[in-house]
Amino acid sequence: FDGNTQDSSTKANHGTSGVTPAVFVAGKVGSNAMNFRGADYVAIDGVVNDITSINLTLSAWIKTTQTGEGEIFATNDAASAHPLMLAVSGGSPSVNDGGDHAFPPAVNDDQWHLLTYVRSGDTGYVYVDGLLRGTYPSTFSLSTVTRWSIGQEWDAAGTTSPSNFYTGAVDDARIYNYALSDAEVASLSGRTQPFDKPF
């Protein structure tokens, strides 16, 4: 999101903005962040070919005051079922992968926060600013997924019914096809000093 929706990795999974023109603001990492205004989104369907394992990581810096539900990352199949969505809901980080899992306290204080989701085996992990916020048993499958997006999720078959728009800024959105460790998540947040990790 440094002034465009291009993938800076070697995978070339470039995004397509669902609004013209996309609006960029001062970012947390690099020069810019994308400003999602409540009807904006970025489609990144090319990710489907690279994310085939249940072990994965989703991470993005967000800055929002949103109180309703807004999807940061969303997956959909051809019928618009959504096996995995990482969102802000009621101001707090939230995961929907067949059930809703909320991880308060809220992060909608108009400050930058790093929101990270990790699936490793049968467990989902949610981190805020590099620190583990909570875990839950996770059983989703991505085998039917045909679409990925940032800023919304598809609410009906086809690509004409976006919904649950996120409102706020997003920067340095990352998708990994493996589970990051606690230390790697902390590194993404910029933490360089030791911190307590509960056993």
Side-chain angles (χ1 to χ4, degrees):
F1 293 147
D2 282 332
N4 57 50
T5 59
Q6 301 298 291
D7 180 9
S8 61
S9 80
T10 60
K11 298 294 186 180
N13 289 318
H14 303 309
T16 301
S17 177
V19 62
T20 304
V23 173
F24 296 91
V25 295
K28 175 67 176 178
V29 178
S31 58
N32 294 111
M34 187 168 172
N35 187 34
F36 292 77
R37 296 160 291 177
D40 307 331
Y41 64 91
V42 174
I44 45 172
D45 296 345
V47 173
V48 169
N49 296 324
D50 295 313
I51 309 298
T52 57
S53 169
I54 59 170
N55 295 320
L56 57 85
T57 302
L58 310 176
S59 187
W61 286 97
I62 65 168
K63 183 180 181 183
T64 185
T65 59
Q66 185 167 7
T67 56
E69 181 176 356
E71 311 303 338
I72 310 301
F73 292 96
T75 65
N76 286 99
D77 63 19
S80 286
H82 38 74
L84 174 63
M85 299 189 298
L86 177 64
V88 173
S89 183
S92 294
S94 174
V95 178
N96 183 303
D97 64 354
D100 289 314
H101 310 276
F103 297 90
V107 293
N108 60 341
D109 57 0
D110 203 27
Q111 302 296 315
W112 284 109
H113 294 284
L114 183 68
L115 183 57
T116 306
Y117 172 80
V118 175
R119 167 83 185 268
S120 179
D122 293 330
T123 304
Y125 302 79
V126 172
Y127 299 80
V128 175
D129 297 330
L131 295 176
L132 183 63
R133 179 66 66 86
T135 66
Y136 72 99
S138 183
T139 60
F140 70 80
S141 168
L142 298 178
S143 62
T144 63
V145 167
T146 57
R147 291 175 286 173
W148 282 75
S149 56
I150 298 174
Q152 64 90 36
E153 67 101 359
W154 300 111
D155 198 35
T159 59
T160 58
S161 301
S163 67
N164 290 337
F165 289 103
Y166 166 80
T167 302
V170 176
D171 199 7
D172 199 36
R174 296 170 177 245
I175 302 173
Y176 296 85
N177 61 358
Y178 59 92
L180 292 187
S181 67
D182 288 344
E184 288 171 319
V185 173
S187 178
L188 285 181
S189 74
R191 291 182 179 271
T192 59
Q193 300 299 317
F195 56 88
D196 290 334
K197 177 185 174 183
F199 292 98

